[in-house]
Amino acid sequence: MESKLGSRLPDYEVIKPLGRGAYSYVYHVKYRSTSQEFALKIIEKQVVVQKNLTNRLLNEIKLQKRLNHPCIVKFYHSFEDEDCIYLVLEYCAGGELFSYIKSEGRLSEDETRMLCSQLVDGIDYLHNRGILHRDLKLGNLLLSEDRTLLKIGDFGLAVKLSNYSEERSTLCGTPNYISPEVVNRQPYGLAADLWSLGCIVYGCLTGNPPFESPDIQTTLLKIKDMSYSLPNYLSDDAETLIRSLLSWNPDERLSIQDVKNQPFFKSQFFSTLDTRTLQSPTLILSPVSKHRSATYVDYTETIISPEKPGKYDLPRSNRKIKSLKQDPFATPRSKPIVIKMPLSTANLLPFKHISKNRVLEINDKGWVIVNMNNRQLEVSSDGLTVIYQGKLTNFREMNNNCAKLYQYAQTALDLVRSKTPKIKLQIKDAMCMLMWNEPYPNFEVDFENGARVCYQIGSGKLYVHPLTGGSFEISPSEDYEHLDQSLKNIVDTTLEGLKCCIDEERKLKIT
Ligand code: ATP
């Protein structure tokens, strides 16, 4: 496999193999034109067909590509050639939590707390979107190089439920971590992941998951009988947490919110996540290829039909503009709005947008002021201080109406950021602008002859508006040799401009 890779994937340099799964090979690779490092998961099509894995794979791609959370392995891109399907994933240099625990014997309570609180944040993000992972285990949790950051991976068995109480009945998961209701083939829901969390916490603290045994049948029997023991070196808080997660009855099991309030985790929550998410994320771009030696097809875009927007879907980038026009008070939602990250006006210039019934302003102190339907919200530039209807509060203690306006302000700022240049470079006859929105910045090019290109890097689409009219969209990974010379020049200049802007952006970060 490895020897063939170089010729198959000229855009990538293979750094080293990372391992093999039951159906895949995973390599640490560098994307040559930007030097970004990824984990490249390669699945042979023959195996997909033989093992009837098409649905599993499609599911993995469809779900994971929509997720964006610091505690979840980022899915960047997928493509295929004649023989294989390639998934470009965030590279986690620390490897699996499973291997780390094996090398350490077991982890201290502090280290377990530090890592498992991130796992809880990741599960919370998934459950908020109605996603049940169904295969949470030490081997599917990956670590950063220094082993302080944890990320949930492998979404092959994950499902999106249509509501929080929907239940599933397929027997799946990894025996050591599956819940009694799954073993007993009872309908199961989000609580099944909480059971697995209990097994993971136990595994971190003791070195092995609680129901481990030499054969699967014995493991399943032990789960049914709830036969496990708690070593006496565990603290009372750890013991209480494990017992309340390994509760036989899923209705009595802790929910993910309850877990956050457990004494074991103390104040670990939010402090972990905030420091991670508030760091400015590294600029990562969807890999772009112009090589013709492999037929690059954006697998996700071509074979997966877009799902209807579900109850738990995040707004897609092209829906953001729409959402600005919606009145957040017009569609009351029964679920409380939880704002996890404070907004920020860093890098944005003073700005005022007035439309019917609403005003959005960033003043010269960087405060955001939203006025809508006679309700006023003022938010400090770091998003932490909030004044709603003249009353001072903070972003953790907003009531629902205030949170709706806050959410509106966040969406609007995203849009402003996607229109605010971070890097401006003149390349040949074109002005190239890389915008401030993250993690996928927009990229726009204005040609002297009046043509324009907008590249929504997150969507992988170039929108070309040539001077001659008749705009069209292409994916930069497509072969565009068929275009006439003037259009090819536009695309070439755009890709070259993008590369220069990224280089510039890098240099600026270094200095
Ligand atoms: P299976 O798919 O059979 O459950 P698995 O989870 O081990 O097994 P893969 O997900 O294909 O299989 O991973 C194979 C190896 O590659 C594992 O050792 C895993 O740690 C490593 N790996 C997978 N993804 C990444 C990543 N994003 N960063 C670093 N290493 C990874």
Side-chain angles (χ1 to χ4, degrees), residues 149-272:
L149 303 183
L150 173 145
K151 285 160 195 275
I152 303 174
D154 201 342
F155 283 77
L157 295 180
V159 285
K160 187 160 167 31
L161 306 175
S162 55
N163 61 58
Y164 287 114
S165 50
E166 189 192 331
E167 294 182 312
R168 291 287 167 140
S169 53
T170 323
L171 176 63
C172 64
T174 302
N176 272 327
Y177 303 81
I178 57 177
S179 62
E181 63 272 21
V182 177
V183 177
N184 287 326
R185 297 191 171 251
Q186 300 291 317
Y188 58 86
L190 298 176
D193 279 349
L194 274 302
W195 173 277
S196 309
L197 173 65
C199 297
I200 291 167
V201 173
Y202 184 103
C204 290
L205 293 171
T206 67
N208 292 300
F211 305 99
E212 190 165 76
S213 76
D215 66 279
I216 295 177
Q217 284 317 318
T218 314
T219 299
L220 297 182
L221 271 180
K222 283 173 93 175
I223 295 170
K224 280 185 176 191
D225 294 346
M226 297 280 295
S227 153
Y228 71 98
S229 56
L230 289 161
N232 55 14
Y233 55 76
L234 296 182
S235 70
D236 289 349
D237 288 346
E239 210 180 299
T240 309
L241 174 70
I242 292 169
R243 278 191 202 285
S244 332
L245 285 168
L246 298 184
S247 160
W248 196 88
N249 181 347
D251 294 336
E252 286 167 14
R253 215 167 286 154
L254 297 177
S255 73
I256 201 72
Q257 289 310 322
D258 301 331
V259 173
K260 291 185 164 198
N261 295 325
Q262 280 283 302
F264 178 79
F265 285 112
K266 294 185 192 127
S267 58
Q268 191 74 28
F269 288 102
F270 297 113
S271 52
T272 329

Side-chain angles (χ1 to χ4, degrees), residues 17-28 38-42 56 60 73-74 89-96 99 135 137 139-143 153-154 174:
L18 292 171
R20 278 202 65 172
Y23 314 114
S24 56
Y25 300 83
V26 183
Y27 292 91
H28 177 198
F38 298 99
L40 184 69
K41 189 166 179 171
I42 306 176
R56 179 180 163 157
E60 181 169 354
V73 174
K74 182 89 194 111
L89 303 168
E90 177 179 8
Y91 170 56
C92 304
E96 294 173 4
S99 318
D135 199 15
K137 56 176 179 175
N140 283 341
L141 303 175
L142 296 165
L143 299 173
D154 201 342
T174 302

